[in-house]
Short mmCIF file of all heavy atoms in Angstrom, two decimals:
data_model
loop_
_atom_site.label_atom_id
_atom_site.label_comp_id
_atom_site.label_asym_id
_atom_site.label_seq_id
_atom_site.Cartn_x
_atom_site.Cartn_y
_atom_site.Cartn_z
N MET A 1 89.19 126.82 64.61
CA MET A 1 90.47 126.18 64.95
C MET A 1 90.76 126.36 66.43
O MET A 1 90.65 127.46 66.97
CB MET A 1 91.58 126.83 64.10
CG MET A 1 92.90 126.07 64.11
SD MET A 1 92.72 124.44 63.39
CE MET A 1 93.86 123.51 64.41
N ARG A 2 91.12 125.28 67.08
CA ARG A 2 91.41 125.35 68.51
C ARG A 2 92.80 125.94 68.74
O ARG A 2 93.69 125.75 67.93
CB ARG A 2 91.35 123.96 69.13
CG ARG A 2 89.95 123.43 69.26
CD ARG A 2 90.01 122.00 69.73
NE ARG A 2 88.70 121.38 69.77
CZ ARG A 2 87.93 121.36 70.87
NH1 ARG A 2 88.35 121.90 71.98
NH2 ARG A 2 86.77 120.77 70.85
N ASN A 3 92.98 126.63 69.86
CA ASN A 3 94.30 127.20 70.15
C ASN A 3 95.10 126.27 71.06
O ASN A 3 94.61 125.23 71.52
CB ASN A 3 94.15 128.60 70.73
CG ASN A 3 93.41 128.60 72.05
OD1 ASN A 3 93.43 127.63 72.79
ND2 ASN A 3 92.76 129.70 72.34
N CYS A 4 96.33 126.66 71.33
CA CYS A 4 97.26 125.82 72.08
C CYS A 4 96.73 125.50 73.48
O CYS A 4 96.96 124.41 73.99
CB CYS A 4 98.61 126.51 72.20
SG CYS A 4 99.47 126.58 70.62
N ARG A 5 96.03 126.46 74.09
CA ARG A 5 95.53 126.22 75.44
C ARG A 5 94.47 125.13 75.44
O ARG A 5 94.46 124.26 76.30
CB ARG A 5 94.98 127.52 76.04
CG ARG A 5 95.23 127.56 77.52
CD ARG A 5 95.16 128.93 78.06
NE ARG A 5 93.77 129.39 78.07
CZ ARG A 5 93.41 130.55 78.59
NH1 ARG A 5 94.31 131.34 79.12
NH2 ARG A 5 92.17 130.92 78.60
N ASP A 6 93.58 125.19 74.44
CA ASP A 6 92.57 124.15 74.31
C ASP A 6 93.22 122.79 74.10
O ASP A 6 92.80 121.79 74.70
CB ASP A 6 91.68 124.42 73.08
CG ASP A 6 90.76 125.60 73.29
OD1 ASP A 6 90.57 126.00 74.46
OD2 ASP A 6 90.26 126.13 72.29
N ILE A 7 94.21 122.77 73.26
CA ILE A 7 94.84 121.50 72.91
C ILE A 7 95.56 120.89 74.11
O ILE A 7 95.41 119.70 74.38
CB ILE A 7 95.81 121.67 71.71
CG1 ILE A 7 95.04 122.08 70.45
CG2 ILE A 7 96.62 120.41 71.45
CD1 ILE A 7 93.91 121.13 70.03
N SER A 8 96.30 121.73 74.85
CA SER A 8 97.00 121.14 76.00
C SER A 8 96.01 120.67 77.06
O SER A 8 96.26 119.68 77.74
CB SER A 8 98.05 122.10 76.59
OG SER A 8 97.55 123.39 76.67
N ALA A 9 94.87 121.36 77.17
CA ALA A 9 93.82 120.90 78.10
C ALA A 9 93.28 119.55 77.64
O ALA A 9 93.10 118.64 78.46
CB ALA A 9 92.69 121.93 78.17
N LEU A 10 93.07 119.40 76.36
CA LEU A 10 92.57 118.13 75.83
C LEU A 10 93.59 117.01 76.03
O LEU A 10 93.23 115.88 76.37
CB LEU A 10 92.26 118.26 74.33
CG LEU A 10 90.94 118.92 73.94
CD1 LEU A 10 90.83 119.02 72.42
CD2 LEU A 10 89.77 118.14 74.50
N VAL A 11 94.86 117.34 75.82
CA VAL A 11 95.92 116.34 76.01
C VAL A 11 95.91 115.84 77.45
O VAL A 11 95.96 114.64 77.70
CB VAL A 11 97.30 116.92 75.61
CG1 VAL A 11 98.43 116.01 76.08
CG2 VAL A 11 97.38 117.13 74.11
N SER A 12 95.79 116.77 78.40
CA SER A 12 95.76 116.38 79.82
C SER A 12 94.52 115.55 80.12
O SER A 12 94.61 114.55 80.84
CB SER A 12 95.73 117.62 80.72
OG SER A 12 96.78 118.48 80.37
N GLN A 13 93.39 115.96 79.58
CA GLN A 13 92.16 115.19 79.81
C GLN A 13 92.27 113.79 79.23
O GLN A 13 91.77 112.83 79.80
CB GLN A 13 90.97 115.90 79.15
CG GLN A 13 90.46 117.10 79.90
CD GLN A 13 89.46 117.87 79.05
OE1 GLN A 13 88.72 117.29 78.26
NE2 GLN A 13 89.45 119.18 79.21
N GLY A 14 92.94 113.71 78.09
CA GLY A 14 93.09 112.43 77.41
C GLY A 14 93.86 111.40 78.21
O GLY A 14 93.80 110.22 77.93
N LEU A 15 94.61 111.86 79.23
CA LEU A 15 95.35 110.93 80.07
C LEU A 15 94.41 110.21 81.02
O LEU A 15 94.67 109.09 81.41
CB LEU A 15 96.41 111.68 80.87
CG LEU A 15 97.51 112.38 80.07
CD1 LEU A 15 98.36 113.21 81.00
CD2 LEU A 15 98.36 111.38 79.32
N ASP A 16 93.35 110.88 81.39
CA ASP A 16 92.45 110.31 82.40
C ASP A 16 91.18 109.72 81.83
O ASP A 16 90.54 108.90 82.44
CB ASP A 16 92.08 111.39 83.42
CG ASP A 16 93.31 111.85 84.18
OD1 ASP A 16 94.11 110.98 84.58
OD2 ASP A 16 93.49 113.06 84.33
N LYS A 17 90.79 110.19 80.66
CA LYS A 17 89.60 109.62 80.03
C LYS A 17 89.81 109.55 78.53
O LYS A 17 90.72 110.18 78.00
CB LYS A 17 88.37 110.49 80.35
CG LYS A 17 88.50 111.92 79.83
CD LYS A 17 87.17 112.60 79.71
CE LYS A 17 87.31 113.90 78.91
NZ LYS A 17 86.12 114.32 78.23
N LYS A 18 88.97 108.76 77.90
CA LYS A 18 89.07 108.64 76.45
C LYS A 18 88.42 109.87 75.82
O LYS A 18 87.29 110.22 76.14
CB LYS A 18 88.32 107.38 76.02
CG LYS A 18 88.86 106.75 74.77
CD LYS A 18 88.20 105.38 74.60
CE LYS A 18 88.76 104.60 73.43
NZ LYS A 18 88.88 105.25 72.16
N LEU A 19 89.15 110.52 74.92
CA LEU A 19 88.59 111.68 74.25
C LEU A 19 87.64 111.23 73.15
O LEU A 19 87.77 110.14 72.62
CB LEU A 19 89.71 112.52 73.63
CG LEU A 19 90.74 113.14 74.58
CD1 LEU A 19 91.80 113.88 73.78
CD2 LEU A 19 90.07 114.09 75.55
N SER A 20 86.71 112.11 72.83
CA SER A 20 85.80 111.82 71.72
C SER A 20 86.56 111.90 70.40
O SER A 20 87.65 112.47 70.34
CB SER A 20 84.63 112.80 71.72
OG SER A 20 85.12 114.08 71.37
N LEU A 21 85.99 111.35 69.38
CA LEU A 21 86.66 111.35 68.08
C LEU A 21 86.98 112.76 67.58
O LEU A 21 88.11 113.01 67.16
CB LEU A 21 85.80 110.57 67.08
CG LEU A 21 86.56 110.05 65.85
CD1 LEU A 21 87.64 109.07 66.24
CD2 LEU A 21 85.58 109.43 64.88
N PRO A 22 86.02 113.70 67.63
CA PRO A 22 86.35 115.07 67.20
C PRO A 22 87.44 115.70 68.04
O PRO A 22 88.27 116.46 67.51
CB PRO A 22 85.04 115.85 67.38
CG PRO A 22 83.98 114.86 67.58
CD PRO A 22 84.60 113.57 67.98
N GLU A 23 87.48 115.38 69.34
CA GLU A 23 88.52 115.91 70.22
C GLU A 23 89.89 115.37 69.82
O GLU A 23 90.86 116.10 69.70
CB GLU A 23 88.23 115.57 71.68
CG GLU A 23 87.13 116.41 72.28
CD GLU A 23 86.69 115.93 73.65
OE1 GLU A 23 86.88 114.73 73.96
OE2 GLU A 23 86.17 116.74 74.41
N ARG A 24 89.93 114.06 69.62
CA ARG A 24 91.20 113.44 69.22
C ARG A 24 91.66 113.96 67.87
O ARG A 24 92.84 114.15 67.62
CB ARG A 24 91.05 111.91 69.18
CG ARG A 24 91.29 111.29 70.54
CD ARG A 24 91.27 109.79 70.45
NE ARG A 24 89.91 109.31 70.20
CZ ARG A 24 89.63 108.12 69.69
NH1 ARG A 24 90.59 107.30 69.36
NH2 ARG A 24 88.38 107.74 69.50
N PHE A 25 90.68 114.18 66.99
CA PHE A 25 91.01 114.70 65.67
C PHE A 25 91.61 116.10 65.78
O PHE A 25 92.60 116.41 65.11
CB PHE A 25 89.76 114.71 64.78
CG PHE A 25 90.04 115.18 63.38
CD1 PHE A 25 90.76 114.39 62.51
CD2 PHE A 25 89.60 116.42 62.95
CE1 PHE A 25 91.04 114.82 61.21
CE2 PHE A 25 89.86 116.86 61.66
CZ PHE A 25 90.58 116.06 60.79
N SER A 26 91.02 116.96 66.63
CA SER A 26 91.55 118.32 66.81
C SER A 26 92.98 118.28 67.33
O SER A 26 93.84 119.04 66.88
CB SER A 26 90.71 119.11 67.81
OG SER A 26 89.37 118.96 67.57
N VAL A 27 93.22 117.39 68.31
CA VAL A 27 94.56 117.27 68.87
C VAL A 27 95.54 116.82 67.79
O VAL A 27 96.59 117.43 67.59
CB VAL A 27 94.59 116.28 70.06
CG1 VAL A 27 96.02 116.00 70.51
CG2 VAL A 27 93.77 116.81 71.22
N TRP A 28 95.13 115.78 67.06
CA TRP A 28 95.99 115.22 66.03
C TRP A 28 96.35 116.28 64.98
O TRP A 28 97.50 116.46 64.61
CB TRP A 28 95.26 114.03 65.39
CG TRP A 28 95.97 113.44 64.20
CD1 TRP A 28 97.03 112.60 64.25
CD2 TRP A 28 95.66 113.66 62.82
NE1 TRP A 28 97.39 112.28 62.95
CE2 TRP A 28 96.57 112.91 62.07
CE3 TRP A 28 94.68 114.41 62.15
CZ2 TRP A 28 96.56 112.88 60.68
CZ3 TRP A 28 94.66 114.39 60.77
CH2 TRP A 28 95.59 113.64 60.04
N LEU A 29 95.32 117.00 64.53
CA LEU A 29 95.51 118.02 63.50
C LEU A 29 96.41 119.14 64.01
O LEU A 29 97.28 119.63 63.30
CB LEU A 29 94.14 118.59 63.11
CG LEU A 29 94.07 119.38 61.81
CD1 LEU A 29 94.31 118.46 60.63
CD2 LEU A 29 92.71 120.04 61.69
N HIS A 30 96.19 119.52 65.26
CA HIS A 30 96.94 120.63 65.83
C HIS A 30 98.42 120.26 66.02
O HIS A 30 99.29 121.05 65.67
CB HIS A 30 96.32 121.05 67.17
CG HIS A 30 96.95 122.26 67.76
ND1 HIS A 30 96.45 123.53 67.59
CD2 HIS A 30 98.06 122.41 68.50
CE1 HIS A 30 97.23 124.39 68.21
NE2 HIS A 30 98.21 123.74 68.78
N VAL A 31 98.70 119.08 66.53
CA VAL A 31 100.09 118.72 66.78
C VAL A 31 100.87 118.49 65.48
O VAL A 31 102.09 118.51 65.48
CB VAL A 31 100.26 117.48 67.72
CG1 VAL A 31 99.72 117.77 69.09
CG2 VAL A 31 99.68 116.23 67.12
N LEU A 32 100.13 118.26 64.39
CA LEU A 32 100.81 118.16 63.10
C LEU A 32 101.50 119.48 62.75
O LEU A 32 102.55 119.50 62.14
CB LEU A 32 99.79 117.84 61.98
CG LEU A 32 99.41 116.40 61.74
CD1 LEU A 32 98.47 116.34 60.54
CD2 LEU A 32 100.62 115.54 61.46
N MET A 33 100.87 120.56 63.17
CA MET A 33 101.35 121.89 62.78
C MET A 33 102.09 122.62 63.90
O MET A 33 102.82 123.56 63.65
CB MET A 33 100.17 122.75 62.34
CG MET A 33 99.49 122.22 61.11
SD MET A 33 97.99 123.15 60.75
CE MET A 33 97.01 122.76 62.19
N CYS A 34 101.87 122.19 65.13
CA CYS A 34 102.38 122.96 66.26
C CYS A 34 103.41 122.15 67.04
O CYS A 34 103.07 121.18 67.72
CB CYS A 34 101.21 123.37 67.15
SG CYS A 34 101.72 124.27 68.61
N THR A 35 104.65 122.54 66.96
CA THR A 35 105.75 121.84 67.63
C THR A 35 105.61 121.89 69.14
O THR A 35 105.89 120.92 69.84
CB THR A 35 107.10 122.46 67.25
OG1 THR A 35 107.05 122.87 65.90
CG2 THR A 35 108.23 121.49 67.45
N ARG A 36 105.18 123.06 69.62
CA ARG A 36 105.05 123.25 71.05
C ARG A 36 104.09 122.23 71.66
O ARG A 36 104.39 121.60 72.67
CB ARG A 36 104.53 124.68 71.30
CG ARG A 36 105.03 125.30 72.58
CD ARG A 36 104.51 126.71 72.65
NE ARG A 36 103.09 126.70 72.96
CZ ARG A 36 102.59 127.10 74.12
NH1 ARG A 36 103.39 127.56 75.05
NH2 ARG A 36 101.31 127.06 74.35
N CYS A 37 102.93 122.07 71.05
CA CYS A 37 101.95 121.13 71.56
C CYS A 37 102.37 119.69 71.32
O CYS A 37 102.05 118.80 72.11
CB CYS A 37 100.58 121.39 70.94
SG CYS A 37 99.85 122.89 71.58
N ARG A 38 103.10 119.47 70.23
CA ARG A 38 103.61 118.12 69.97
C ARG A 38 104.56 117.72 71.09
O ARG A 38 104.49 116.63 71.63
CB ARG A 38 104.31 118.09 68.62
CG ARG A 38 104.65 116.67 68.18
CD ARG A 38 104.78 116.57 66.67
NE ARG A 38 105.78 117.48 66.14
CZ ARG A 38 105.60 118.30 65.11
NH1 ARG A 38 104.45 118.34 64.50
NH2 ARG A 38 106.56 119.07 64.70
N ASN A 39 105.46 118.63 71.46
CA ASN A 39 106.38 118.36 72.57
C ASN A 39 105.63 118.16 73.88
O ASN A 39 105.96 117.26 74.66
CB ASN A 39 107.37 119.52 72.73
CG ASN A 39 108.36 119.56 71.59
OD1 ASN A 39 108.53 118.58 70.87
ND2 ASN A 39 108.99 120.71 71.39
N PHE A 40 104.65 119.00 74.10
CA PHE A 40 103.86 118.88 75.33
C PHE A 40 103.19 117.51 75.42
O PHE A 40 103.23 116.85 76.45
CB PHE A 40 102.80 119.99 75.38
CG PHE A 40 101.87 119.88 76.55
CD1 PHE A 40 102.30 120.24 77.82
CD2 PHE A 40 100.58 119.39 76.39
CE1 PHE A 40 101.45 120.13 78.90
CE2 PHE A 40 99.73 119.27 77.47
CZ PHE A 40 100.17 119.64 78.73
N LYS A 41 102.62 117.09 74.30
CA LYS A 41 101.92 115.81 74.24
C LYS A 41 102.90 114.66 74.51
O LYS A 41 102.62 113.76 75.32
CB LYS A 41 101.28 115.64 72.87
CG LYS A 41 100.32 114.50 72.73
CD LYS A 41 99.58 114.63 71.40
CE LYS A 41 98.60 113.49 71.18
NZ LYS A 41 99.26 112.26 70.77
N THR A 42 104.06 114.69 73.85
CA THR A 42 105.06 113.65 74.04
C THR A 42 105.52 113.59 75.49
O THR A 42 105.59 112.51 76.08
CB THR A 42 106.28 113.93 73.14
OG1 THR A 42 105.82 114.21 71.82
CG2 THR A 42 107.22 112.75 73.10
N GLN A 43 105.81 114.77 76.06
CA GLN A 43 106.30 114.81 77.44
C GLN A 43 105.27 114.32 78.43
O GLN A 43 105.58 113.54 79.33
CB GLN A 43 106.68 116.24 77.81
CG GLN A 43 108.07 116.61 77.35
CD GLN A 43 108.33 118.08 77.52
OE1 GLN A 43 107.68 118.74 78.32
NE2 GLN A 43 109.27 118.61 76.77
N THR A 44 104.02 114.78 78.26
CA THR A 44 102.97 114.37 79.19
C THR A 44 102.75 112.87 79.16
O THR A 44 102.61 112.23 80.20
CB THR A 44 101.62 115.05 78.84
OG1 THR A 44 101.87 116.19 78.07
CG2 THR A 44 100.85 115.39 80.06
N GLN A 45 102.76 112.32 77.93
CA GLN A 45 102.54 110.88 77.82
C GLN A 45 103.72 110.10 78.38
O GLN A 45 103.53 109.06 78.98
CB GLN A 45 102.27 110.51 76.35
CG GLN A 45 100.89 110.95 75.94
CD GLN A 45 100.62 110.77 74.45
OE1 GLN A 45 101.53 110.60 73.67
NE2 GLN A 45 99.36 110.85 74.07
N PHE A 46 104.92 110.65 78.20
CA PHE A 46 106.10 110.00 78.75
C PHE A 46 106.05 109.97 80.28
O PHE A 46 106.28 108.94 80.91
CB PHE A 46 107.36 110.73 78.27
CG PHE A 46 108.62 110.20 78.91
CD1 PHE A 46 109.19 109.03 78.44
CD2 PHE A 46 109.22 110.87 79.96
CE1 PHE A 46 110.35 108.54 79.03
CE2 PHE A 46 110.37 110.38 80.55
CZ PHE A 46 110.94 109.21 80.08
N ILE A 47 105.71 111.14 80.86
CA ILE A 47 105.62 111.24 82.32
C ILE A 47 104.55 110.30 82.85
O ILE A 47 104.74 109.61 83.86
CB ILE A 47 105.33 112.70 82.74
CG1 ILE A 47 106.56 113.56 82.44
CG2 ILE A 47 104.94 112.80 84.21
CD1 ILE A 47 106.29 115.04 82.53
N ARG A 48 103.44 110.27 82.14
CA ARG A 48 102.33 109.41 82.55
C ARG A 48 102.74 107.94 82.56
O ARG A 48 102.45 107.20 83.49
CB ARG A 48 101.14 109.66 81.61
CG ARG A 48 99.89 108.93 82.02
CD ARG A 48 99.51 109.27 83.44
NE ARG A 48 98.32 108.58 83.83
CZ ARG A 48 97.21 109.19 84.23
NH1 ARG A 48 97.16 110.50 84.31
NH2 ARG A 48 96.16 108.51 84.56
N LYS A 49 103.44 107.54 81.49
CA LYS A 49 103.89 106.15 81.38
C LYS A 49 104.88 105.81 82.49
O LYS A 49 104.80 104.76 83.10
CB LYS A 49 104.57 105.92 80.03
CG LYS A 49 103.63 105.34 79.00
CD LYS A 49 104.40 104.99 77.73
CE LYS A 49 103.47 105.06 76.52
NZ LYS A 49 104.21 105.23 75.26
N ALA A 50 105.81 106.74 82.74
CA ALA A 50 106.82 106.53 83.78
C ALA A 50 106.14 106.42 85.14
O ALA A 50 106.50 105.57 85.95
CB ALA A 50 107.82 107.68 83.77
N ALA A 51 105.15 107.27 85.38
CA ALA A 51 104.43 107.26 86.65
C ALA A 51 103.69 105.95 86.83
O ALA A 51 103.65 105.38 87.92
CB ALA A 51 103.45 108.42 86.71
N ARG A 52 103.11 105.46 85.74
CA ARG A 52 102.37 104.20 85.82
C ARG A 52 103.32 103.03 86.11
O ARG A 52 103.02 102.16 86.91
CB ARG A 52 101.60 103.96 84.52
CG ARG A 52 100.62 102.82 84.62
CD ARG A 52 99.71 102.79 83.43
NE ARG A 52 98.85 103.97 83.35
CZ ARG A 52 98.23 104.36 82.26
NH1 ARG A 52 98.38 103.71 81.15
NH2 ARG A 52 97.45 105.41 82.27
N ARG A 53 104.49 103.05 85.45
CA ARG A 53 105.49 102.01 85.70
C ARG A 53 105.90 102.01 87.17
O ARG A 53 106.05 100.98 87.79
CB ARG A 53 106.73 102.25 84.82
CG ARG A 53 106.88 101.22 83.73
CD ARG A 53 108.29 101.06 83.23
NE ARG A 53 108.93 102.32 82.92
CZ ARG A 53 108.85 102.93 81.75
NH1 ARG A 53 108.15 102.41 80.78
NH2 ARG A 53 109.47 104.07 81.53
N TYR A 54 106.07 103.23 87.69
CA TYR A 54 106.49 103.37 89.08
C TYR A 54 105.43 102.83 90.03
O TYR A 54 105.75 102.10 90.97
CB TYR A 54 106.78 104.84 89.37
CG TYR A 54 107.15 105.12 90.80
CD1 TYR A 54 108.41 104.74 91.28
CD2 TYR A 54 106.25 105.73 91.65
CE1 TYR A 54 108.74 104.98 92.60
CE2 TYR A 54 106.58 105.98 92.97
CZ TYR A 54 107.82 105.60 93.44
OH TYR A 54 108.15 105.82 94.74
N THR A 55 104.17 103.16 89.80
CA THR A 55 103.11 102.69 90.69
C THR A 55 102.93 101.17 90.57
O THR A 55 102.65 100.50 91.56
CB THR A 55 101.76 103.40 90.44
OG1 THR A 55 101.52 103.48 89.04
CG2 THR A 55 101.76 104.80 91.01
N ASP A 56 103.11 100.63 89.35
CA ASP A 56 103.05 99.18 89.17
C ASP A 56 104.13 98.50 89.99
O ASP A 56 103.88 97.50 90.67
CB ASP A 56 103.25 98.81 87.69
CG ASP A 56 101.99 99.07 86.87
OD1 ASP A 56 100.95 99.41 87.48
OD2 ASP A 56 102.05 98.94 85.66
N GLU A 57 105.32 99.05 89.90
CA GLU A 57 106.47 98.53 90.62
C GLU A 57 106.21 98.55 92.13
O GLU A 57 106.44 97.59 92.84
CB GLU A 57 107.69 99.39 90.25
CG GLU A 57 108.91 99.22 91.14
CD GLU A 57 109.71 97.97 90.80
OE1 GLU A 57 109.46 97.39 89.73
OE2 GLU A 57 110.58 97.60 91.60
N LEU A 58 105.69 99.69 92.58
CA LEU A 58 105.39 99.87 93.99
C LEU A 58 104.34 98.86 94.44
O LEU A 58 104.46 98.23 95.50
CB LEU A 58 104.85 101.29 94.20
CG LEU A 58 105.12 101.95 95.53
CD1 LEU A 58 106.62 102.14 95.72
CD2 LEU A 58 104.42 103.30 95.57
N GLN A 59 103.32 98.68 93.61
CA GLN A 59 102.24 97.76 93.91
C GLN A 59 102.75 96.33 94.00
O GLN A 59 102.39 95.59 94.92
CB GLN A 59 101.16 97.88 92.82
CG GLN A 59 99.88 97.12 93.14
CD GLN A 59 99.21 97.62 94.42
OE1 GLN A 59 98.97 98.81 94.56
NE2 GLN A 59 98.95 96.73 95.35
N SER A 60 103.63 95.95 93.09
CA SER A 60 104.12 94.57 93.09
C SER A 60 105.01 94.33 94.31
O SER A 60 105.05 93.24 94.85
CB SER A 60 104.86 94.24 91.79
OG SER A 60 106.06 94.95 91.71
N ARG A 61 105.72 95.38 94.74
CA ARG A 61 106.51 95.25 95.97
C ARG A 61 105.61 95.05 97.19
O ARG A 61 105.90 94.24 98.06
CB ARG A 61 107.36 96.48 96.20
CG ARG A 61 108.64 96.44 95.40
CD ARG A 61 109.54 97.57 95.76
NE ARG A 61 110.46 97.82 94.65
CZ ARG A 61 111.46 98.69 94.70
NH1 ARG A 61 111.63 99.42 95.78
NH2 ARG A 61 112.24 98.85 93.68
N LEU A 62 104.52 95.80 97.21
CA LEU A 62 103.58 95.67 98.32
C LEU A 62 102.95 94.29 98.32
O LEU A 62 102.75 93.68 99.36
CB LEU A 62 102.49 96.75 98.21
CG LEU A 62 102.95 98.18 98.52
CD1 LEU A 62 101.84 99.16 98.19
CD2 LEU A 62 103.36 98.32 99.97
N ASP A 63 102.63 93.79 97.11
CA ASP A 63 102.03 92.46 96.98
C ASP A 63 102.99 91.39 97.49
O ASP A 63 102.59 90.47 98.19
CB ASP A 63 101.67 92.18 95.52
CG ASP A 63 100.48 93.01 95.07
OD1 ASP A 63 99.82 93.61 95.94
OD2 ASP A 63 100.23 93.06 93.86
N ASN A 64 104.27 91.54 97.13
CA ASN A 64 105.26 90.57 97.57
C ASN A 64 105.40 90.54 99.08
O ASN A 64 105.58 89.49 99.68
CB ASN A 64 106.62 90.89 96.94
CG ASN A 64 106.65 90.53 95.47
OD1 ASN A 64 105.83 89.72 95.01
ND2 ASN A 64 107.56 91.13 94.72
N LYS A 65 105.32 91.72 99.67
CA LYS A 65 105.47 91.84 101.10
C LYS A 65 104.37 91.09 101.86
O LYS A 65 104.61 90.47 102.88
CB LYS A 65 105.42 93.32 101.50
CG LYS A 65 106.62 93.73 102.35
CD LYS A 65 106.51 95.19 102.68
CE LYS A 65 107.86 95.87 102.51
NZ LYS A 65 107.76 97.31 102.76
N SER A 66 103.15 91.16 101.31
CA SER A 66 102.02 90.56 102.01
C SER A 66 102.01 89.05 101.86
O SER A 66 101.30 88.35 102.57
CB SER A 66 100.71 91.16 101.51
OG SER A 66 100.53 90.85 100.15
N ASN A 67 102.79 88.51 100.90
CA ASN A 67 102.82 87.05 100.72
C ASN A 67 103.73 86.36 101.73
O ASN A 67 104.81 86.77 101.97
CB ASN A 67 103.30 86.69 99.30
CG ASN A 67 102.20 86.97 98.31
OD1 ASN A 67 101.02 86.99 98.66
ND2 ASN A 67 102.59 87.23 97.07
ZN1 ZN B 101 99.78 124.40 69.84
#
């Protein structure tokens, strides 16, 4: 069984690359039982999404400027 440190490392890695099926399964199984990691996963994904929205917005502003 993987511990919380392993899981949060996998969650972070999952933001930048696709995790393997066994990795995703471990994360999924762990967050079912562990509130702490479930919160961590939710927060990280939320921050990631917000950051992506921000960079998209920034990029579209830059694109508009060059037109
Ligand atoms: Zn955990």
Side-chain angles (χ1 to χ4, degrees):
M1 193 63 215
R2 287 174 185 267
N3 63 28
C4 291
R5 214 160 72 175
D6 289 343
I7 296 304
S8 43
L10 280 177
V11 168
S12 308
Q13 283 170 33
L15 297 172
D16 296 316
K17 61 160 192 153
K18 209 170 185 312
L19 297 178
S20 69
L21 201 62
E23 285 171 335
R24 274 185 289 159
F25 182 71
S26 315
V27 172
W28 174 79
L29 196 68
H30 186 96
V31 297
L32 275 184
M33 296 173 296
C34 178
T35 324
R36 212 177 73 110
C37 288
R38 190 155 58 229
N39 289 342
F40 175 76
K41 191 169 179 283
T42 312
Q43 277 170 22
T44 339
Q45 286 173 344
F46 174 79
I47 291 167
R48 185 56 180 239
K49 264 186 208 159
R52 191 169 295 161
R53 250 204 311 273
Y54 177 74
T55 44
D56 283 354
E57 166 79 13
L58 210 64
Q59 189 61 53
S60 69
R61 277 187 203 186
L62 289 172
D63 289 348
N64 286 340
K65 233 179 224 177
S66 64
N67 285 336

